[in-house]
Amino acid sequence: MTWTIATYHPVSLFSLRPANSTTSGGKTLIAPTPFCIKMALLSASIQTTGVTEGQRRFPQIRDLRIALALPKQVVVVKSFAKIRRPFESKDAKTREQKIAELAEKGQYPFQSTIAYREFVQFGGLLQIAFTAPQGEAPAWLSEMLPVINYLGKRGSFVQIAGWPQLAEALDDTFTEVTRDSTTFSSNGTLQMLDDCGNQMTFEHADIYNPKRMSFGKERVPRHVVLPYRLKQSSRGYSLYERL
């Protein structure tokens, strides 16, 4: 089996909430998910080769096996951020009055508030390995990996550190994230990472297509135990260290 390994410099803080959380959820996963990596590959293919070619490649992207090797230390920074939320009122009788009051204060249609947010700082390089179910990744993959410039929530920028390398096997720093963990250390950290289900089509991934994607069918969870233990934690941060 041949793996294609890309090494990235995390050049900004990473953030990606679990797929089953609400849009206002502030907690983050400590690693990119297979779903977000595959969508980044699809986006890179469309940007460089066009929609038609991206659509042709989608089944190969969907079925890729992916393994991650995070740096030795990972820090989750806990913070509060000032955000703007649209005004909502369930009381129809007082709605107009509240709108008028907020408009006078300049807080309509958006109100200023604070929200809990978490961000991840990787203490080194991030490595991502790819292979296909047949045992070798598509030939075009190495050309697409340098095009990827963020993983997760927009703004979680990465920069590739060099041309992707090939390997016949992965060392024990890698954890496959496209399959549920069956053997793991009891000191590890459980993460629920989302992935593309085998029923997912290009139309589900196309944001301009009305075809809806359901969690558990086209977008499926992977319960993965990463080899990291919580070493220190306080009100402002949590430090994870590789076992």
Side-chain angles (χ1 to χ4, degrees):
M1 179 177 293
T2 302
W3 293 83
T4 301
I5 303 175
T7 303
Y8 291 95
H9 287 285
V11 295
S12 66
L13 299 180
F14 167 82
S15 181
L16 180 62
R17 66 174 182 267
N20 62 344
S21 67
T22 63
T23 55
S24 59
K27 296 185 74 66
T28 182
L29 299 165
I30 65 172
T33 68
F35 184 88
C36 85
I37 295 171
K38 291 176 181 180
M39 291 302 102
L41 268 175
L42 178 60
S43 176
S45 294
I46 291 173
Q47 290 177 43
T48 55
T49 63
V51 176
T52 302
E53 181 63 14
Q55 186 172 5
R56 188 190 69 82
R57 292 177 180 179
F58 178 76
Q60 294 176 300
I61 295 173
R62 177 196 61 202
D63 297 336
L64 283 172
R65 292 175 59 186
I66 298 176
L68 295 178
L70 304 181
K72 184 177 180 181
Q73 292 185 327
V74 176
V75 178
V76 177
V77 180
K78 308 171 186 178
S79 66
F80 286 90
K82 194 171 183 180
I83 65 171
R84 306 279 288 183
R85 282 183 177 169
F87 168 74
E88 294 180 359
S89 176
K90 297 180 180 179
D91 190 349
K93 295 181 180 178
T94 61
R95 177 180 172 81
E96 296 300 326
Q97 181 182 349
K98 288 182 178 179
I99 289 176
E101 292 174 355
L102 292 171
E104 287 184 7
K105 300 176 183 178
Q107 296 184 7
Y108 182 81
F110 295 100
Q111 294 177 285
S112 179
T113 184
I114 60 172
Y116 177 74
R117 292 290 183 266
E118 290 183 351
F119 301 91
V120 177
Q121 181 175 11
F122 294 115
L125 299 174
L126 170 66
Q127 290 187 297
I128 308 176
F130 303 83
T131 193
Q134 299 83 0
E136 187 173 350
W140 51 260
L141 179 65
S142 294
E143 298 178 0
M144 294 300 103
L145 294 174
V147 181
I148 295 174
N149 58 13
Y150 78 89
L151 295 169
K153 189 176 180 180
R154 184 164 296 179
S156 302
F157 294 113
V158 294
Q159 173 66 54
I160 199 162
W163 192 254
Q165 303 296 310
L166 299 180
E168 294 301 319
L170 301 177
D171 59 37
D172 57 6
T173 62
F174 282 89
T175 302
E176 186 170 350
V177 292
T178 44
R179 297 182 180 182
D180 292 335
S181 295
T182 55
T183 58
F184 52 84
S185 169
S186 60
N187 294 328
T189 298
L190 175 65
Q191 299 275 277
M192 192 184 78
L193 310 178
D194 56 333
D195 192 7
C196 300
N198 56 16
Q199 299 183 50
M200 186 175 175
T201 64
F202 178 79
E203 287 71 26
H204 290 112
D206 184 359
I207 61 173
Y208 301 105
N209 192 296
K211 198 169 186 179
R212 297 188 62 181
M213 178 167 46
S214 57
F215 187 71
K217 188 177 179 181
E218 290 84 22
R219 191 174 183 178
V220 297
R222 305 292 187 197
H223 297 89
V224 178
V225 178
L226 298 176
Y228 287 79
R229 67 181 180 93
L230 182 63
K231 184 178 181 181
Q232 295 179 11
S233 182
S234 74
R235 179 171 56 89
Y237 76 96
S238 294
L239 171 63
Y240 294 87
E241 190 172 63
R242 189 166 60 214
L243 298 173

